[in-house]
Amino acid sequence: KNEVEQSPQNLTAQEGEFITINCSYSVGISALHWLQQHPGGGIVSLFMLSSGKKKHGRLIATINIQEKHSSLHITASHPRDSAVYICAATRRNNNDMRFGAGTRLTVKP
Amino acid sequence: EPEVTQTPSHQVTQMGQEVILRCVPISNHLYFYWYRQILGQKVEFLVSFYNNEISEKSEIFDDQFSVERPDGSNFTLKIRSTKLEDSAMYFCASSEQGLRSNQPQHFGDGTRLSIL
């Protein structure tokens, strides 16, 4: 079983829709990361969370430590949000990261 | 804005040859990382590096891999005797503090390694 699971694998939305991507993890973590991978392959770090909620522009990330679950929300989605969104966990007893398989988001105009 | 730079963007190498992938982290960053992504698969952690030594490595990072910070600016990943299955995109990243902190990592654009 993968230590970090994401859903859905693929997501298609219309411009303006509210988007939610989910991440569940089975390991003890010290931090949870949300990353964005552009069609060209480049990776950008969006959020690092160890508790609660963070917001940056139209993006919101939440984490529930007890349930081992995190969500990434995009409000008022736009075609330029089209990318692969990756959840990754820094394991508590190690200083490495475990990655989810990514969610491919396509936002249509 | 400062960025992590990786060279080359694409490296083609014959199986069995040694390859060195190069990265220039952001200048005030202290923690450095290598990741790989085989085509169509998820990103995998290879190694983290701090204070001139490896701080963590994954089960993938076996004896054929090594990392080095040969001078004050470069951070390199060497693969000693490449195999076909080493073909992947390799990403370098750096951060001011370690993975457990709230400081984000900054990623390079990656080097696509093709083993023939």
Side-chain angles (χ1 to χ4, degrees), chain B residues 5 7 13-14 19 22 26 30 33-34 37 50 56-57 66 74 77-78 81 83 88 90 95 97 105 108-109:
Chain B
T5 55
T7 55
T13 301
Q14 290 289 329
V19 68
R22 301 180 194 279
I26 293 173
L30 302 176
Y33 314 89
W34 281 102
Q37 186 175 33
Y50 169 71
E56 195 76 45
K57 60 182 181 178
S66 62
N74 288 284
L77 174 70
K78 184 193 291 186
S81 177
K83 307 184 190 99
Y90 288 80
S95 60
Q97 298 180 32
Q105 294 177 72
D109 287 338

Side-chain angles (χ1 to χ4, degrees), chain A residues 30 37 41 48 94-95 97, chain B residues 37 56 91 100-101 103 105:
Chain A
S30 52
Q37 187 167 29
M48 284 178 66
N94 305 73
N95 197 30
M97 287 174 71
Chain B
Q37 186 175 33
E56 195 76 45
F91 291 100
R100 295 179 185 146
S101 74
Q103 294 295 320
Q105 294 177 72

Side-chain angles (χ1 to χ4, degrees), chain B residues 26-59:
Chain B
I26 293 173
S27 60
N28 65 330
H29 286 184
L30 302 176
Y31 294 79
F32 314 114
Y33 314 89
W34 281 102
Y35 301 91
R36 81 170 184 194
Q37 186 175 33
I38 295 169
L39 188 64
Q41 297 187 23
K42 61 184 178 182
V43 178
E44 298 171 294
F45 170 87
L46 291 178
V47 66
S48 58
F49 190 87
Y50 169 71
N51 199 25
N52 277 322
E53 59 183 29
I54 291 173
S55 52
E56 195 76 45
K57 60 182 181 178
S58 72
E59 53 275 10

Side-chain angles (χ1 to χ4, degrees), chain B residues 46-114:
Chain B
L46 291 178
V47 66
S48 58
F49 190 87
Y50 169 71
N51 199 25
N52 277 322
E53 59 183 29
I54 291 173
S55 52
E56 195 76 45
K57 60 182 181 178
S58 72
E59 53 275 10
I60 302 167
F61 195 88
D62 61 22
D63 290 344
Q64 70 160 344
F65 290 92
S66 62
V67 288
E68 195 179 27
R69 191 153 161 82
D71 52 42
S73 58
N74 288 284
F75 178 52
T76 61
L77 174 70
K78 184 193 291 186
I79 309 175
R80 254 177 279 284
S81 177
T82 50
K83 307 184 190 99
L84 293 175
E85 54 264 37
D86 294 326
S87 295
M89 183 76 97
Y90 288 80
F91 291 100
C92 173
S94 69
S95 60
E96 286 185 55
Q97 298 180 32
L99 289 175
R100 295 179 185 146
S101 74
N102 277 324
Q103 294 295 320
Q105 294 177 72
H106 295 256
F107 288 81
D109 287 338
T111 292
R112 182 168 298 285
L113 177 63
S114 300

